[in-house]
Amino acid sequence: MIPLLLAAIVELRLDYTRVSLTKTVRHYTQLVDGVEVAGGERIEENGRVTYDRLGVAPPIRRRVTPAYVNVAGTLRPAKRVVEFARPMEPYERWYDSETGALLRERPMFYRGKGRVFDVNPVAKLNDPSLRDQNGSAAAVPDAAYSVVDLPDLAPSAPLAGPNARIVDVEAPFTVHADPTKPLDTLNRSQPEFQEVNAYFQIDRAQRYLQSLGYAGNRRLVDYSLPIDAHAANGTDNSYFVESNPPGHGTLYFGDGGTDDAEDSDIMLHEFMHAVHNWIAPGALSGGSSSQAAAIAEGLGDYWAFSSTYDATRASGRDPACIADWDARCFGDADSENCAYPEGADCLRRVDSTKTMADFKSSNDPGTEHLNGEIWSSALRDIFLSIGKENTDRIVLESLFGVPPSPSFHDIAQRMVESDHALTGGANVNVICTAMTVRGVFAAGECGAPLKGEFTSHPAPISVTPIPDGGTPLTSSITINDARAIVSLGVRVDIRHPRRGDLVLTLIAPDGSQYVLKQSSDSDRTPDVHATFGLDAASLTSLTPLIGTSAGGTWTLVVVDRFPIDTGVLESWSLLLKLTGDTTFTARPQFAVRKVVPAAGHLTGALGRQYVSDLWLYAAGGGTVTLLFTPSGADGTTTFAAMPVAICAGCTMRLDDVIAQLGTTGLGQLELTSDSSFIATSRTYYRDANGTHGDRVAAVDVASAITAGLVARNYGAYWNLGFANVTGSSGVVRVNGTDYAIGPYSHIQFADNTNVGDFQVVSGGIRIIGYASVAENDDFAVYGAQPRATTLDGIVSPGHSTGPWKKVVWAVDAQNEIVPPVFIPGTPFLSREGAPVGGAIFERFSHSAETESVPLPSSESGQMIGIEVSSEMRANAGFALAGFGDFAVFRFFDAAGNLIGQADASGGGAPGTDDVILPIGDPRVARVSATVFFGGGTYVSVIDNRSGDATFIPGQ
């Protein structure tokens, strides 16, 4: 008889779900007849299987006891219930037995005070002479302690709250801190102190994660994390031990040498193990030689660095030194079990220059820590470029859904993907640079910018309204080069509340049509900023154009198919690579060189997305090559490049120019050509109230300085920066701190002074220095000036109109801000001079909008970067120096056609004159001003919604 064969029951068990800021991850374990299959796992990210191999919150605990409640003198039968709003946050509540109404409640936890080491004593005091001295209280001065809040404590010992709780699992077993007794008088010689310190550090670390957005169902380490503050049987060791359910575990801090629960770096390092194990249980486990284990240890060191950076740097201590208090137990008695040698300074550092070439494939214990320095140092590089919260989020997001035993390359690639999900790729260049320098990415593998592969041919148009409801808008570009097309892209920048309303079509010179984008009623995303054929797919493939001649007229057709919402075409261009074109293997340089010292596409303070737009004008036409060098890079080898073709007399606009160069980040933008041109840029961010930013003019490299000043007299936030315009490396001293800078490179940093003093101290380089100042929503940029050798200063309109007021301030030779010196003899222009050895600055301030903008003075010149649209308005003005002075303004469209002229003279009397027409014409792209006898001209562009105003310098 043939036995009946029954199929085994195969199923997937959902182990846990993790919800990050950008994805939902579910982890499954395979079961066969109810038995786990070792190594049988599946990971889903946003419903997509990414690994073919999630937990559930525990139920609310509830206890019910019969009771009575006195309600206005009447005893009501009630049910007494102890409910937990969050773990370790119990409330005693009484509900009416008949109606179920809540009659009374009482929290069963409270907020206490504790005495702790906010950061470890060496970091807090910047005192490397401190020693553990066998745990003596006298070894640490009172100044190393801080008294802090301990929120949401349960009213019983050991300490417990919603984020952390003290346990006593391993020897030595000690007296526990009792929150019903004073905790703000303890010192390090008492075992209760280490419990309070550990509770504080872990609870605060948990709350920081929640402040990043990991709260509610996104919460990381979604349990009250157990901490044994006196563990490891008295040895000098600490660790995190996993437990069930998946993602849970306990922290253990050893008492050997300096108690580990006294050093914030040690505790935060171990806390990161709890974090990554919660996000992806077991994924970063492995032997000492594994990359996964090295990533885990590097993450721990980075998290300690990131968490204590501000407080450590404030004292003057080097934040890159990790666990510098724990390392100071040498000299202790043998019974203290100190594991550090005489003279130890740090457990590890996060500023190593190690690369993957230094990775050790050894199974010796501790190898993972040495290899982890590669990872922690790469993360530190990113942190110093884009800041704490940006880096922390990217690091955390990269761990969601990670498969078992990932490599450095795997996590680095996930960081790039996470940044795209979080910021649209604003920090990709920074991540790629850090990982490429460390050898994690191969050269050119990640974030490869354009190196001249394409020449941009912008359309000579001003910001143009798109007709609503179906009438097409057309714009054309004429190419005079008949060579065959090797590859191409179509860059389109449109402002529109609903891009789904739009149909975009490209018509080639031969009449063939290519739909770049179709309309979609469901696509309610605003704006179009894309390069079809390169970073965005076109609906109709552009492949048939390969091999055809580029010569002729190309036309973009924009149709808004749905009424009500309206938009504007800001700019568009063809990106062409033709037969015979080659990329730049070395940085090109031509006779004319100008530099925008700071431009970018990046996420800045408060999560604001900053971009830079660029305008170019060349009277005789020609090609201007754009060269972008990211901050900190060597511009001789690391740069993005794109030639831009300009027709004679035309004004060209390139929106979000750094993104058009195929890269992101902050850096310097050089413009170089064989013929003369002028250029200006605007760096800004956009929010619900409009745009906020400032003009940053392209400065001729001949005006670069070796020493100069910049100053502020307002603003809550202040950054200093400088661009090196030479092909050499050097050192620049700013306010007493030295900054090394590479060829053609850029540096920007926060500063808490009111004067920026720039001095080149080595390398023979020249720089363009600047300061950016933020006040409320305003963002203004001031260029550093050489110290004045004579009484010479600013000449500009001296009047105030309505809410606009002019503010002038000066810096003397001792870098003190002082009132400016008035230069007599020019009553109808404001003339203020800088003290000899100093410099002078000014702005117009708008009281209603609290806007402040630099006001450059200008006589005759060309002014570009003008926009007249539903979003922007423009003003032109002239300030006279005396009787008979006048100016002639000529207004041109983007193609160079004269569309109007106006004179400014104030009726022949001294004073000021505002030019009204035709500056309001939306076709105006350039204003040419010619001054006769004396005076100054200006053009301002103002955002109609935000009130943000920028003044355009004449060139």
Side-chain angles (χ1 to χ4, degrees), residues 436 441-449:
T436 302
F441 285 140
E445 174 186 1
C446 170

Side-chain angles (χ1 to χ4, degrees), residues 170-172 231-239 253-260 335-339:
E170 293 184 348
N233 296 303
T235 62
D236 196 357
N237 198 9
S238 293
Y239 36 82
F253 300 121
D255 280 352
T258 305
D259 292 354
D260 285 359
S335 60
E336 290 292 308
N337 297 317
C338 176

